[in-house]
Amino acid sequence: MIEHKEQIKKISIGILIGLLVFGISISIFNPTQASLLGLIAMMVVLWTNEGLPLAVVSLLPIILFPAFSILNTKATAINYSHPIIYLFLGGFLIAIAVEKTNLHTWIADKILSLFPNTPRGMIFSLAITSGLLSSILSNTTTTLLLMSIALFITEDVKLKLRFALAIAYGASVGGIMTPIGTPPNLILLGIMSDKGMDAIPFFQWMWMVVPLAVLMFIVVSMLLSLGVPNVPLDRVNDKKPLEKNQKKVLYIIGGLIFMLLLNAPMKPFWSGLGLSEAGMLLAAGLILFAPPFNILEWMEDKAKIPYRIMFLFGAGFSIAKAFSETGLASEVASYLITMTELHPILLLFAVAMLITFTTEITSNTALISIMLPVIYSVSIQTGINTTLFMMVATLCASYAFMLPIATPPNAIAMSSGVVNVKSMMKYGIILNLVGIFCIVMIAEFFWKGILS
């Protein structure tokens, strides 16, 4: 009975905060837009205080968006079949196979032999490894491939949480290092091309952005290392040769990585085949059920698939769609025009704050697609270097660390079962603010000289 009362209290708090946000928003936005903001606020509270199970809250848009005339049922539900959800499913099937065959113990031993055998050493190494891979592979793919390994390096639940966050945050930090590392980067280059602006060469991009990424790697790793005892981890030391099933899984992972690395340069040649990262990962996951592999069995292994995170992805994509369809994204963006009288550096901070914290509750890809054309117009009016202004917005869209729906790596960290929303928000709010400060400062005192 006490548990039920506590749950009712948490749900009531979520509803009250939703009503409060609606009441404030109705004086600024139209009723539909205000309703959307109120519902988002309620869902964020329920995700945070766990008043309802994460999966239940994530399915609420299918009911509430049509009820409040935000999106119809079909337009909402279709977001729960987004391709990235199947990329996640394929990656997690591979992770289940790695755990089932005990391959993770062998891989963990190899990792521990390369880096300092301490919790702090592993936090630094996981963040950097995740970031470097994310600069050439998608951050979603990288996080999926590394997560299952990191969770079995230690039995300490608190260390598991920090290792999982090191991978997720490292993937977001490293994804900005190349133009192909994350979708918002590619959207920026596409819009620059459409506007007739000079493209940023590949190596100039890296020269500009790598210092920022290195700085953020250090901040992420040091923050997650606070309070961690600097004692040696227990080594796996499994010197036995790989078993037959372990080799099978290793071959699939190796073949998958090879295909993913070839995907970008070979895309013009095999685009007719319809190959994509989502398709490749799902294929790699499904083949584990078939001969000659036969590693996974549906009846035995289906319970390990984190369907709640698949629903969480769907909720994130639904919110992004609602932002666009209700005109809320454009409405918010229009307020930037009123800030054009601010000092240029204050305007950069305002844009960085707006993009970073809006990304927490909507897709960074959708958000940056909507915002960049507006930011282009604002920069023309203010006289700020247009490329500089758009770069700041684009990188801030990838630097959202607070909520699981903000980025796929955050959601995957949640799916591990060792990360809760409170912990993610505790570390994430600090990293959001540090990221905003670092991006604006580097833009003002480093990029400006390169782009002028």
Side-chain angles (χ1 to χ4, degrees), residues 74-324:
K74 182 177 180 181
T76 307
I78 199 170
N79 296 290
Y80 291 77
S81 60
H82 193 283
I84 203 167
I85 294 174
Y86 295 98
L87 184 151
F88 172 79
L89 174 60
F92 214 87
L93 290 173
I94 295 172
I96 292 170
V98 168
E99 179 184 353
K100 186 174 183 178
T101 59
N102 217 33
L103 179 61
H104 57 274
T105 60
W106 180 83
I107 298 174
D109 187 55
K110 298 300 180 185
I111 291 176
L112 285 171
S113 67
L114 296 174
F115 296 99
N117 188 30
T118 64
R120 292 179 184 177
M122 287 311 302
I123 288 170
F124 271 85
S125 64
L126 289 171
I128 292 168
T129 301
S130 178
L132 292 176
L133 286 174
S134 291
S135 68
I136 53 174
L137 302 177
S138 80
N139 53 16
T140 308
T141 302
T142 298
T143 309
L144 285 167
L145 291 175
L146 291 179
M147 192 63 67
S148 60
I149 298 167
L151 297 180
F152 297 98
I153 293 173
T154 179
E155 294 301 318
D156 188 320
V157 176
K158 292 182 179 179
L159 286 182
K160 285 177 182 279
L161 181 148
R162 297 185 188 224
F163 289 170
L165 289 178
I167 291 172
Y169 292 162
S172 294
V173 167
I176 67 163
M177 289 197 296
T178 65
I180 62 171
T182 188
N185 297 359
L186 295 171
I187 291 170
L188 168 64
L189 295 180
I191 290 176
M192 289 177 69
S193 175
D194 290 342
K195 300 293 185 183
M197 299 168 62
D198 293 333
I200 302 173
F202 193 97
F203 288 104
Q204 181 180 316
W205 179 293
M206 293 186 66
W207 171 249
M208 292 169 58
V209 175
V210 167
L212 169 65
V214 170
L215 182 60
M216 287 301 294
F217 280 137
I218 295 171
V219 172
V220 166
S221 301
M222 290 183 67
L223 179 64
L224 293 175
S225 297
L226 291 176
V228 171
N230 202 30
V231 295
L233 291 167
D234 293 331
R235 290 291 300 272
V236 179
N237 286 322
D238 186 2
K239 300 301 182 184
K240 293 185 293 185
L242 287 172
E243 298 174 359
K244 184 178 180 180
N245 282 346
Q246 291 176 323
K247 289 181 179 178
K248 288 179 181 179
V249 176
L250 204 57
Y251 292 150
I252 288 177
I253 293 174
L256 174 63
I257 292 173
F258 178 73
M259 291 290 287
L260 289 169
L261 289 172
L262 279 181
N263 189 40
M266 292 296 291
K267 192 167 283 187
F269 300 98
W270 61 28
S271 57
L273 300 176
L275 295 175
S276 65
E277 283 199 357
M280 290 178 190
L281 258 83
L282 184 58
L286 294 180
I287 203 172
L288 291 162
F289 291 94
F293 299 99
N294 296 114
I295 304 295
L296 299 181
E297 296 179 16
W298 182 257
M299 296 305 295
E300 177 184 345
D301 298 309
K302 65 180 180 181
K304 299 175 184 176
I305 299 172
Y307 296 103
R308 66 193 188 119
I309 304 301
M310 296 168 69
F311 295 151
L312 179 66
F313 275 126
F317 294 129
S318 296
I319 291 170
K321 182 71 171 177
F323 255 70
S324 177

Side-chain angles (χ1 to χ4, degrees), residues 12-32:
S12 299
I13 290 172
I15 293 172
L16 286 173
I17 289 179
L19 289 171
L20 178 63
V21 170
F22 171 79
I24 295 171
S25 302
I26 195 68
S27 62
I28 305 171
F29 304 106
N30 67 43
T32 303

